[in-house]
Amino acid sequence: AQTVTQSQPEMSVQEAETVTLSCTYDTSENNYYLFWYKQPPSRQMILVIRQEAYKQQNATENRFSVNFQKAAKSFSLKISDSQLGDTAMYFCAFMKPGGNQFYFGTGTSLTVIP
Amino acid sequence: DAGITQSPRYKITETGRQVTLMCHQTWSHSYMFWYRQDLGHGLRLIYYSAAADITDKGEVPDGYVVSRSKTENFPLTLESATRSQTSVYFCASSLGTSWETQYFGPGTRLLVL
C-alpha cells in the first residue's frame, strides 16, 4: 500500500518570508501523481499544485513551487513571499492512475505571522 | 454554477440511526469520491464512483453504502451510525481518470452521539 508522510505537524513563517513543507511517500509504482492541497479554516479543500511523476521539471504556480525528487520519493512545497491568507492546513496527496488510489498525508498546519 | 455542494453541512444524530449525506456536482464530472477526515489520519477514501451505476470501495468502506443513479449525485448512507463515524465528510469529483484533479465540496460535519 502507498503511504504519504508529512513529518511537520505545525510550522510558522513570518509574512513575506519563504517556507518549505516536506512530504515523503512510499510506492512501488513508476507512474503516479502528487498533489498539495490547502485547507483553510473554512475547511474547503483547495488544490494548490500538482506534479506528474513522469515529468522531471518541478511544477510551479505563482508563489508555490515544488521540489520533486523521484528517486528519494520526496515532494516538498515551497511557498515564497508568504501571505496571511496562506495560513491553513496543507495536505500532500498521492494518486495512482485509476482514481481509487488516492492517499493523503496527515497534514501540516502552517501559520503565517504578521 | 455552484460546482460541488454537500448537504447538510452539519448533522447530529444518534447511534443506530440511518443518515444520508448528499453530494451534488454541476460539472458533469465522471468520477465522484467520498472521504472522511479525522485527526491523525488525514483524508481517507470511503467509496468512489467512475460513472452512473458504477461504484467501488475505497480504503474504509465498512458501515457505509453509496449509490449513483445520476451522474450529478452521489449520496453516502450510514445504515446504522456508530460513534466512530463521527467525522468530517468530503465529497469530491474529477472529470476523468488518473491525472485529473479532484475538486472538493465544502464538507459535512457529522456528530454521532
Side-chain angles (χ1 to χ4, degrees), chain A residues 33 35 37 39 41-47 50 52 89 91 95-107, chain B residues 4 9 31 33 35 37 40-45 48 57 59 88 90 97-106 109:
Chain A
Y33 307 92
F35 304 83
Y37 278 90
Q39 187 179 42
S42 67
R43 301 208 66 120
Q44 183 94 32
M45 293 288 283
I46 303 166
L47 176 68
R50 73 178 188 187
E52 291 86 351
M89 280 289 285
F91 291 94
M95 183 176 185
K96 176 184 173 182
N100 61 327
Q101 301 284 339
F102 204 129
Y103 297 92
F104 284 81
T106 53
Chain B
I4 184 165
R9 294 294 312 279
Y31 276 83
F33 309 82
Y35 295 88
Q37 184 179 29
H41 288 282
L43 278 82
R44 292 180 292 176
L45 182 64
Y48 72 102
K57 296 178 180 179
E59 186 182 356
V88 181
F90 286 95
T97 59
S98 63
W99 60 88
E100 291 299 333
T101 302
Q102 295 188 17
Y103 297 90
F104 285 79
R109 290 196 184 205

Side-chain angles (χ1 to χ4, degrees), chain B residues 2-70:
Chain B
I4 184 165
T5 57
Q6 293 181 234
S7 62
R9 294 294 312 279
Y10 304 91
K11 176 73 176 179
I12 301 174
T13 190
E14 296 177 336
T15 302
R17 291 189 179 266
Q18 183 180 80
V19 177
T20 296
L21 309 183
M22 304 300 295
C23 179
H24 176 78
Q25 52 104 354
T26 60
W27 294 309
S28 298
H29 282 176
S30 299
Y31 276 83
M32 295 187 76
F33 309 82
W34 273 108
Y35 295 88
R36 60 179 289 174
Q37 184 179 29
D38 306 288
L39 283 174
H41 288 282
L43 278 82
R44 292 180 292 176
L45 182 64
I46 303 171
Y47 268 96
Y48 72 102
S49 169
D53 296 322
I54 301 174
T55 63
D56 208 344
K57 296 178 180 179
E59 186 182 356
V60 288
D62 293 342
Y64 303 95
V65 174
V66 294
S67 61
R68 186 122 180 253
S69 58
K70 293 183 178 181

